[in-house]
Structures are given as C-alpha cells and as structure tokens.
Amino acid sequence: MKKILLALLFIVLLTGCKSREDKIAELIKQEMFKTLYDFESYEPIETKIDSAFTSIYTDSVIKSYAYIARSFLDDAQESLDKVKDAQKTVEIWRDSYSSYGRSKFEDAYNEMKKHLAEVNSKMYIVNCYADSIRSASANFKPEFCGWRVEHRFRCKTKGGNFDLGNYLYIFDEKVTTIIYQEDPDDEYTKKVKGLIEEAINTKSFL
C-alpha cells in the first residue's frame, strides 16, 4: 500500500513539475488530436507565449452579437443582390406597352419591393446588434486572464499535401484548459472582427 501511495505521489510531483511551456504543448497536442484530419502528420513549428488580457475581439458576449449581426448582414447582401437583379428586369420592361411586357414589369417591380423590404428589416437587426456591441464595448476594461499563445504548425490536408497553420489560443492562468481559440487566417473570423471594429467606429451600417 505504501509503495502505491509513493508511486502516486511521484506521478503527482512529476505532473506538478511540468513547465508552463510543456503544459501548453500538451494541451495543444490534445486539441490537435481532436480537430486535425491527419494528426499523425502534425508537426509543431513555433509557439509564442505572452500574457493574455480580455479583449472586445475575444469576449464571448460581444462575439456572439457580432456573429449574429454578420449572419444578418450576409442575408441582407443576398437580398440586395436580388433587388439589383429585379431592378434590371424593371428597366428592361419599363417602357413596354404590351400586356406581356407590363406583366413582366409589375412582377419584377413587386419582386424588387419585396427584397428591398427584406434588406431594410435585416439591416435594422444588424444595427440593433451593432448598438449592443457598441454598448458592451463602451466600458470594457482589459483584465489579465491567462496566457496568449500563437502556435504555428504543419500538417497534411485531406488531399495529402502539407499545409501551414497559425492558431491563436488563450489558456487560463494555471494552464489547465484552453478558454479561447481561433484561426486568425479564417475569412469569416476576419469578417466578424471587422464588423466589431466597424460597429465601434460608426453609428450605423446603413
């Protein structure tokens, strides 16, 4: 029994003696195992560690507002494209005097009005969420929250070719868990961050 207790104590001591860098590397490796298509090809290249502070760009509430606003903004853009398509048809049949031509004009005109109403309603929602972002950001004060880690790595894609990744992680102060992660090169992530910035610097998206 004593031998078992000593062995367990030894394991605990070894675990406790792990450096911050080792803990971070192990947690990232565990995360990669869950997310990479070909984990066996995973090769760490560089890991930069710095103090992490809360930010409007990583705050869960502000980001949730931004993701919803971004979704409605994309929908509004789709509706606007439909407005433009209908407008082209309206222009084609505007001066027609035939019953067929007038029918095409009226159909396109009604279609244009419908999609324009969609644009306005969706942009109203976008601006409401932008107001929420603005309000949440107004008194935001960055606070130390753990460790910011930039991790570069190499791994194979589904096609079997090697690709470079560059992920951002935020670990809690004791380095026991990943509390935030993102791919800074992801286009949608860039759009969401851009929306947060625009919401803060402008009064309206219209």
mmCIF file with all atom_site columns, all heavy atoms in Angstrom, residues 43-62:
data_model
loop_
_atom_site.group_PDB
_atom_site.id
_atom_site.type_symbol
_atom_site.label_atom_id
_atom_site.label_alt_id
_atom_site.label_comp_id
_atom_site.label_asym_id
_atom_site.label_entity_id
_atom_site.label_seq_id
_atom_site.pdbx_PDB_ins_code
_atom_site.Cartn_x
_atom_site.Cartn_y
_atom_site.Cartn_z
_atom_site.occupancy
_atom_site.B_iso_or_equiv
_atom_site.pdbx_formal_charge
_atom_site.auth_seq_id
_atom_site.auth_comp_id
_atom_site.auth_asym_id
_atom_site.auth_atom_id
_atom_site.pdbx_PDB_model_num
ATOM 1   N N   . GLU A 1 43 ? 3.125   18.620 -37.058 1.00 0.00 ? 43 GLU A N   1
ATOM 2   C CA  . GLU A 1 43 ? 4.485   18.995 -36.685 1.00 0.00 ? 43 GLU A CA  1
ATOM 3   C C   . GLU A 1 43 ? 4.497   20.416 -36.134 1.00 0.00 ? 43 GLU A C   1
ATOM 4   O O   . GLU A 1 43 ? 4.282   21.373 -36.881 1.00 0.00 ? 43 GLU A O   1
ATOM 5   C CB  . GLU A 1 43 ? 5.423   18.942 -37.897 1.00 0.00 ? 43 GLU A CB  1
ATOM 6   C CG  . GLU A 1 43 ? 5.574   17.579 -38.535 1.00 0.00 ? 43 GLU A CG  1
ATOM 7   C CD  . GLU A 1 43 ? 6.463   17.631 -39.774 1.00 0.00 ? 43 GLU A CD  1
ATOM 8   O OE1 . GLU A 1 43 ? 7.222   18.627 -39.914 1.00 0.00 ? 43 GLU A OE1 1
ATOM 9   O OE2 . GLU A 1 43 ? 6.374   16.715 -40.603 1.00 0.00 ? 43 GLU A OE2 1
ATOM 10  N N   . PRO A 1 44 ? 4.722   20.598 -34.837 1.00 0.00 ? 44 PRO A N   1
ATOM 11  C CA  . PRO A 1 44 ? 4.826   21.956 -34.279 1.00 0.00 ? 44 PRO A CA  1
ATOM 12  C C   . PRO A 1 44 ? 6.034   22.681 -34.879 1.00 0.00 ? 44 PRO A C   1
ATOM 13  O O   . PRO A 1 44 ? 7.085   22.073 -35.087 1.00 0.00 ? 44 PRO A O   1
ATOM 14  C CB  . PRO A 1 44 ? 5.034   21.707 -32.786 1.00 0.00 ? 44 PRO A CB  1
ATOM 15  C CG  . PRO A 1 44 ? 4.601   20.308 -32.548 1.00 0.00 ? 44 PRO A CG  1
ATOM 16  C CD  . PRO A 1 44 ? 4.881   19.562 -33.810 1.00 0.00 ? 44 PRO A CD  1
ATOM 17  N N   . ILE A 1 45 ? 5.873   23.965 -35.175 1.00 0.00 ? 45 ILE A N   1
ATOM 18  C CA  . ILE A 1 45 ? 6.966   24.756 -35.739 1.00 0.00 ? 45 ILE A CA  1
ATOM 19  C C   . ILE A 1 45 ? 7.433   25.824 -34.754 1.00 0.00 ? 45 ILE A C   1
ATOM 20  O O   . ILE A 1 45 ? 8.623   25.942 -34.460 1.00 0.00 ? 45 ILE A O   1
ATOM 21  C CB  . ILE A 1 45 ? 6.536   25.433 -37.059 1.00 0.00 ? 45 ILE A CB  1
ATOM 22  C CG1 . ILE A 1 45 ? 6.186   24.377 -38.107 1.00 0.00 ? 45 ILE A CG1 1
ATOM 23  C CG2 . ILE A 1 45 ? 7.648   26.353 -37.587 1.00 0.00 ? 45 ILE A CG2 1
ATOM 24  C CD1 . ILE A 1 45 ? 5.621   24.957 -39.390 1.00 0.00 ? 45 ILE A CD1 1
ATOM 25  N N   . GLU A 1 46 ? 6.472   26.587 -34.243 1.00 0.00 ? 46 GLU A N   1
ATOM 26  C CA  . GLU A 1 46 ? 6.830   27.685 -33.336 1.00 0.00 ? 46 GLU A CA  1
ATOM 27  C C   . GLU A 1 46 ? 5.668   27.989 -32.399 1.00 0.00 ? 46 GLU A C   1
ATOM 28  O O   . GLU A 1 46 ? 4.506   27.978 -32.815 1.00 0.00 ? 46 GLU A O   1
ATOM 29  C CB  . GLU A 1 46 ? 7.184   28.943 -34.138 1.00 0.00 ? 46 GLU A CB  1
ATOM 30  C CG  . GLU A 1 46 ? 7.651   30.113 -33.296 1.00 0.00 ? 46 GLU A CG  1
ATOM 31  C CD  . GLU A 1 46 ? 7.964   31.346 -34.136 1.00 0.00 ? 46 GLU A CD  1
ATOM 32  O OE1 . GLU A 1 46 ? 7.331   31.515 -35.199 1.00 0.00 ? 46 GLU A OE1 1
ATOM 33  O OE2 . GLU A 1 46 ? 8.829   32.133 -33.720 1.00 0.00 ? 46 GLU A OE2 1
ATOM 34  N N   . THR A 1 47 ? 5.988   28.246 -31.139 1.00 0.00 ? 47 THR A N   1
ATOM 35  C CA  . THR A 1 47 ? 4.972   28.596 -30.148 1.00 0.00 ? 47 THR A CA  1
ATOM 36  C C   . THR A 1 47 ? 5.436   29.829 -29.375 1.00 0.00 ? 47 THR A C   1
ATOM 37  O O   . THR A 1 47 ? 6.483   29.801 -28.734 1.00 0.00 ? 47 THR A O   1
ATOM 38  C CB  . THR A 1 47 ? 4.716   27.443 -29.165 1.00 0.00 ? 47 THR A CB  1
ATOM 39  O OG1 . THR A 1 47 ? 4.311   26.274 -29.902 1.00 0.00 ? 47 THR A OG1 1
ATOM 40  C CG2 . THR A 1 47 ? 3.621   27.801 -28.181 1.00 0.00 ? 47 THR A CG2 1
ATOM 41  N N   . LYS A 1 48 ? 4.644   30.895 -29.458 1.00 0.00 ? 48 LYS A N   1
ATOM 42  C CA  . LYS A 1 48 ? 4.957   32.132 -28.743 1.00 0.00 ? 48 LYS A CA  1
ATOM 43  C C   . LYS A 1 48 ? 3.965   32.319 -27.602 1.00 0.00 ? 48 LYS A C   1
ATOM 44  O O   . LYS A 1 48 ? 2.755   32.243 -27.820 1.00 0.00 ? 48 LYS A O   1
ATOM 45  C CB  . LYS A 1 48 ? 4.901   33.329 -29.690 1.00 0.00 ? 48 LYS A CB  1
ATOM 46  C CG  . LYS A 1 48 ? 5.935   33.308 -30.801 1.00 0.00 ? 48 LYS A CG  1
ATOM 47  C CD  . LYS A 1 48 ? 5.794   34.536 -31.686 1.00 0.00 ? 48 LYS A CD  1
ATOM 48  C CE  . LYS A 1 48 ? 6.819   34.547 -32.817 1.00 0.00 ? 48 LYS A CE  1
ATOM 49  N NZ  . LYS A 1 48 ? 6.650   35.738 -33.688 1.00 0.00 ? 48 LYS A NZ  1
ATOM 50  N N   . ILE A 1 49 ? 4.484   32.566 -26.417 1.00 0.00 ? 49 ILE A N   1
ATOM 51  C CA  . ILE A 1 49 ? 3.645   32.705 -25.232 1.00 0.00 ? 49 ILE A CA  1
ATOM 52  C C   . ILE A 1 49 ? 3.770   34.119 -24.663 1.00 0.00 ? 49 ILE A C   1
ATOM 53  O O   . ILE A 1 49 ? 4.877   34.642 -24.528 1.00 0.00 ? 49 ILE A O   1
ATOM 54  C CB  . ILE A 1 49 ? 4.044   31.679 -24.153 1.00 0.00 ? 49 ILE A CB  1
ATOM 55  C CG1 . ILE A 1 49 ? 3.983   30.256 -24.720 1.00 0.00 ? 49 ILE A CG1 1
ATOM 56  C CG2 . ILE A 1 49 ? 3.138   31.797 -22.928 1.00 0.00 ? 49 ILE A CG2 1
ATOM 57  C CD1 . ILE A 1 49 ? 4.548   29.204 -23.788 1.00 0.00 ? 49 ILE A CD1 1
ATOM 58  N N   . ASP A 1 50 ? 2.634   34.712 -24.346 1.00 0.00 ? 50 ASP A N   1
ATOM 59  C CA  . ASP A 1 50 ? 2.626   36.052 -23.766 1.00 0.00 ? 50 ASP A CA  1
ATOM 60  C C   . ASP A 1 50 ? 1.433   36.163 -22.810 1.00 0.00 ? 50 ASP A C   1
ATOM 61  O O   . ASP A 1 50 ? 0.547   35.302 -22.802 1.00 0.00 ? 50 ASP A O   1
ATOM 62  C CB  . ASP A 1 50 ? 2.505   37.094 -24.881 1.00 0.00 ? 50 ASP A CB  1
ATOM 63  C CG  . ASP A 1 50 ? 2.968   38.476 -24.422 1.00 0.00 ? 50 ASP A CG  1
ATOM 64  O OD1 . ASP A 1 50 ? 3.285   38.627 -23.219 1.00 0.00 ? 50 ASP A OD1 1
ATOM 65  O OD2 . ASP A 1 50 ? 3.007   39.396 -25.246 1.00 0.00 ? 50 ASP A OD2 1
ATOM 66  N N   . SER A 1 51 ? 1.409   37.201 -22.023 1.00 0.00 ? 51 SER A N   1
ATOM 67  C CA  . SER A 1 51 ? 0.278   37.432 -21.129 1.00 0.00 ? 51 SER A CA  1
ATOM 68  C C   . SER A 1 51 ? -0.974  37.702 -21.956 1.00 0.00 ? 51 SER A C   1
ATOM 69  O O   . SER A 1 51 ? -0.923  38.371 -22.995 1.00 0.00 ? 51 SER A O   1
ATOM 70  C CB  . SER A 1 51 ? 0.554   38.631 -20.218 1.00 0.00 ? 51 SER A CB  1
ATOM 71  O OG  . SER A 1 51 ? 1.672   38.380 -19.394 1.00 0.00 ? 51 SER A OG  1
ATOM 72  N N   . ALA A 1 52 ? -2.100  37.186 -21.493 1.00 0.00 ? 52 ALA A N   1
ATOM 73  C CA  . ALA A 1 52 ? -3.370  37.378 -22.191 1.00 0.00 ? 52 ALA A CA  1
ATOM 74  C C   . ALA A 1 52 ? -4.272  38.300 -21.388 1.00 0.00 ? 52 ALA A C   1
ATOM 75  O O   . ALA A 1 52 ? -4.338  38.201 -20.159 1.00 0.00 ? 52 ALA A O   1
ATOM 76  C CB  . ALA A 1 52 ? -4.064  36.038 -22.418 1.00 0.00 ? 52 ALA A CB  1
ATOM 77  N N   . PHE A 1 53 ? -4.943  39.189 -22.105 1.00 0.00 ? 53 PHE A N   1
ATOM 78  C CA  . PHE A 1 53 ? -5.883  40.104 -21.471 1.00 0.00 ? 53 PHE A CA  1
ATOM 79  C C   . PHE A 1 53 ? -7.225  40.009 -22.196 1.00 0.00 ? 53 PHE A C   1
ATOM 80  O O   . PHE A 1 53 ? -7.268  39.760 -23.402 1.00 0.00 ? 53 PHE A O   1
ATOM 81  C CB  . PHE A 1 53 ? -5.366  41.542 -21.515 1.00 0.00 ? 53 PHE A CB  1
ATOM 82  C CG  . PHE A 1 53 ? -4.122  41.756 -20.706 1.00 0.00 ? 53 PHE A CG  1
ATOM 83  C CD1 . PHE A 1 53 ? -2.866  41.510 -21.258 1.00 0.00 ? 53 PHE A CD1 1
ATOM 84  C CD2 . PHE A 1 53 ? -4.203  42.184 -19.392 1.00 0.00 ? 53 PHE A CD2 1
ATOM 85  C CE1 . PHE A 1 53 ? -1.707  41.695 -20.506 1.00 0.00 ? 53 PHE A CE1 1
ATOM 86  C CE2 . PHE A 1 53 ? -3.050  42.368 -18.634 1.00 0.00 ? 53 PHE A CE2 1
ATOM 87  C CZ  . PHE A 1 53 ? -1.799  42.120 -19.199 1.00 0.00 ? 53 PHE A CZ  1
ATOM 88  N N   . THR A 1 54 ? -8.298  40.168 -21.452 1.00 0.00 ? 54 THR A N   1
ATOM 89  C CA  . THR A 1 54 ? -9.614  40.149 -22.077 1.00 0.00 ? 54 THR A CA  1
ATOM 90  C C   . THR A 1 54 ? -9.672  41.242 -23.146 1.00 0.00 ? 54 THR A C   1
ATOM 91  O O   . THR A 1 54 ? -9.041  42.296 -23.021 1.00 0.00 ? 54 THR A O   1
ATOM 92  C CB  . THR A 1 54 ? -10.716 40.388 -21.037 1.00 0.00 ? 54 THR A CB  1
ATOM 93  O OG1 . THR A 1 54 ? -10.439 41.607 -20.321 1.00 0.00 ? 54 THR A OG1 1
ATOM 94  C CG2 . THR A 1 54 ? -10.789 39.227 -20.055 1.00 0.00 ? 54 THR A CG2 1
ATOM 95  N N   . SER A 1 55 ? -10.434 40.981 -24.200 1.00 0.00 ? 55 SER A N   1
ATOM 96  C CA  . SER A 1 55 ? -10.493 41.892 -25.334 1.00 0.00 ? 55 SER A CA  1
ATOM 97  C C   . SER A 1 55 ? -11.902 41.894 -25.915 1.00 0.00 ? 55 SER A C   1
ATOM 98  O O   . SER A 1 55 ? -12.626 40.901 -25.821 1.00 0.00 ? 55 SER A O   1
ATOM 99  C CB  . SER A 1 55 ? -9.498  41.444 -26.411 1.00 0.00 ? 55 SER A CB  1
ATOM 100 O OG  . SER A 1 55 ? -9.776  42.034 -27.665 1.00 0.00 ? 55 SER A OG  1
ATOM 101 N N   . ILE A 1 56 ? -12.283 42.993 -26.516 1.00 0.00 ? 56 ILE A N   1
ATOM 102 C CA  . ILE A 1 56 ? -13.597 43.060 -27.164 1.00 0.00 ? 56 ILE A CA  1
ATOM 103 C C   . ILE A 1 56 ? -13.667 42.078 -28.324 1.00 0.00 ? 56 ILE A C   1
ATOM 104 O O   . ILE A 1 56 ? -14.757 41.663 -28.733 1.00 0.00 ? 56 ILE A O   1
ATOM 105 C CB  . ILE A 1 56 ? -13.913 44.486 -27.660 1.00 0.00 ? 56 ILE A CB  1
ATOM 106 C CG1 . ILE A 1 56 ? -12.836 44.973 -28.646 1.00 0.00 ? 56 ILE A CG1 1
ATOM 107 C CG2 . ILE A 1 56 ? -14.069 45.448 -26.502 1.00 0.00 ? 56 ILE A CG2 1
ATOM 108 C CD1 . ILE A 1 56 ? -13.179 46.287 -29.314 1.00 0.00 ? 56 ILE A CD1 1
ATOM 109 N N   . TYR A 1 57 ? -12.505 41.704 -28.871 1.00 0.00 ? 57 TYR A N   1
ATOM 110 C CA  . TYR A 1 57 ? -12.488 40.792 -30.016 1.00 0.00 ? 57 TYR A CA  1
ATOM 111 C C   . TYR A 1 57 ? -12.542 39.321 -29.611 1.00 0.00 ? 57 TYR A C   1
ATOM 112 O O   . TYR A 1 57 ? -12.724 38.448 -30.459 1.00 0.00 ? 57 TYR A O   1
ATOM 113 C CB  . TYR A 1 57 ? -11.246 41.052 -30.871 1.00 0.00 ? 57 TYR A CB  1
ATOM 114 C CG  . TYR A 1 57 ? -11.223 42.433 -31.469 1.00 0.00 ? 57 TYR A CG  1
ATOM 115 C CD1 . TYR A 1 57 ? -10.386 43.429 -30.952 1.00 0.00 ? 57 TYR A CD1 1
ATOM 116 C CD2 . TYR A 1 57 ? -12.055 42.775 -32.529 1.00 0.00 ? 57 TYR A CD2 1
ATOM 117 C CE1 . TYR A 1 57 ? -10.378 44.710 -31.486 1.00 0.00 ? 57 TYR A CE1 1
ATOM 118 C CE2 . TYR A 1 57 ? -12.061 44.049 -33.068 1.00 0.00 ? 57 TYR A CE2 1
ATOM 119 C CZ  . TYR A 1 57 ? -11.221 45.010 -32.540 1.00 0.00 ? 57 TYR A CZ  1
ATOM 120 O OH  . TYR A 1 57 ? -11.216 46.274 -33.067 1.00 0.00 ? 57 TYR A OH  1
ATOM 121 N N   . THR A 1 58 ? -12.372 39.046 -28.323 1.00 0.00 ? 58 THR A N   1
ATOM 122 C CA  . THR A 1 58 ? -12.459 37.667 -27.854 1.00 0.00 ? 58 THR A CA  1
ATOM 123 C C   . THR A 1 58 ? -13.554 37.483 -26.803 1.00 0.00 ? 58 THR A C   1
ATOM 124 O O   . THR A 1 58 ? -13.839 36.352 -26.416 1.00 0.00 ? 58 THR A O   1
ATOM 125 C CB  . THR A 1 58 ? -11.109 37.209 -27.251 1.00 0.00 ? 58 THR A CB  1
ATOM 126 O OG1 . THR A 1 58 ? -10.738 38.079 -26.174 1.00 0.00 ? 58 THR A OG1 1
ATOM 127 C CG2 . THR A 1 58 ? -10.010 37.230 -28.303 1.00 0.00 ? 58 THR A CG2 1
ATOM 128 N N   . ASP A 1 59 ? -14.165 38.566 -26.363 1.00 0.00 ? 59 ASP A N   1
ATOM 129 C CA  . ASP A 1 59 ? -15.233 38.479 -25.376 1.00 0.00 ? 59 ASP A CA  1
ATOM 130 C C   . ASP A 1 59 ? -16.415 37.687 -25.954 1.00 0.00 ? 59 ASP A C   1
ATOM 131 O O   . ASP A 1 59 ? -16.894 37.971 -27.058 1.00 0.00 ? 59 ASP A O   1
ATOM 132 C CB  . ASP A 1 59 ? -15.691 39.890 -24.988 1.00 0.00 ? 59 ASP A CB  1
ATOM 133 C CG  . ASP A 1 59 ? -16.802 39.869 -23.959 1.00 0.00 ? 59 ASP A CG  1
ATOM 134 O OD1 . ASP A 1 59 ? -16.509 39.660 -22.778 1.00 0.00 ? 59 ASP A OD1 1
ATOM 135 O OD2 . ASP A 1 59 ? -17.965 40.046 -24.362 1.00 0.00 ? 59 ASP A OD2 1
ATOM 136 N N   . SER A 1 60 ? -16.893 36.695 -25.217 1.00 0.00 ? 60 SER A N   1
ATOM 137 C CA  . SER A 1 60 ? -17.913 35.788 -25.741 1.00 0.00 ? 60 SER A CA  1
ATOM 138 C C   . SER A 1 60 ? -19.233 36.503 -26.051 1.00 0.00 ? 60 SER A C   1
ATOM 139 O O   . SER A 1 60 ? -19.888 36.193 -27.056 1.00 0.00 ? 60 SER A O   1
ATOM 140 C CB  . SER A 1 60 ? -18.160 34.640 -24.748 1.00 0.00 ? 60 SER A CB  1
ATOM 141 O OG  . SER A 1 60 ? -18.595 35.143 -23.492 1.00 0.00 ? 60 SER A OG  1
ATOM 142 N N   . VAL A 1 61 ? -19.630 37.462 -25.202 1.00 0.00 ? 61 VAL A N   1
ATOM 143 C CA  . VAL A 1 61 ? -20.889 38.175 -25.427 1.00 0.00 ? 61 VAL A CA  1
ATOM 144 C C   . VAL A 1 61 ? -20.803 39.050 -26.666 1.00 0.00 ? 61 VAL A C   1
ATOM 145 O O   . VAL A 1 61 ? -21.676 39.008 -27.546 1.00 0.00 ? 61 VAL A O   1
ATOM 146 C CB  . VAL A 1 61 ? -21.255 39.033 -24.196 1.00 0.00 ? 61 VAL A CB  1
ATOM 147 C CG1 . VAL A 1 61 ? -22.474 39.898 -24.494 1.00 0.00 ? 61 VAL A CG1 1
ATOM 148 C CG2 . VAL A 1 61 ? -21.524 38.148 -22.987 1.00 0.00 ? 61 VAL A CG2 1
ATOM 149 N N   . ILE A 1 62 ? -19.732 39.834 -26.771 1.00 0.00 ? 62 ILE A N   1
ATOM 150 C CA  . ILE A 1 62 ? -19.559 40.721 -27.925 1.00 0.00 ? 62 ILE A CA  1
ATOM 151 C C   . ILE A 1 62 ? -19.435 39.911 -29.207 1.00 0.00 ? 62 ILE A C   1
ATOM 152 O O   . ILE A 1 62 ? -20.020 40.260 -30.249 1.00 0.00 ? 62 ILE A O   1
ATOM 153 C CB  . ILE A 1 62 ? -18.323 41.631 -27.730 1.00 0.00 ? 62 ILE A CB  1
ATOM 154 C CG1 . ILE A 1 62 ? -18.578 42.608 -26.578 1.00 0.00 ? 62 ILE A CG1 1
ATOM 155 C CG2 . ILE A 1 62 ? -17.999 42.392 -29.009 1.00 0.00 ? 62 ILE A CG2 1
ATOM 156 C CD1 . ILE A 1 62 ? -17.379 43.475 -26.217 1.00 0.00 ? 62 ILE A CD1 1
#
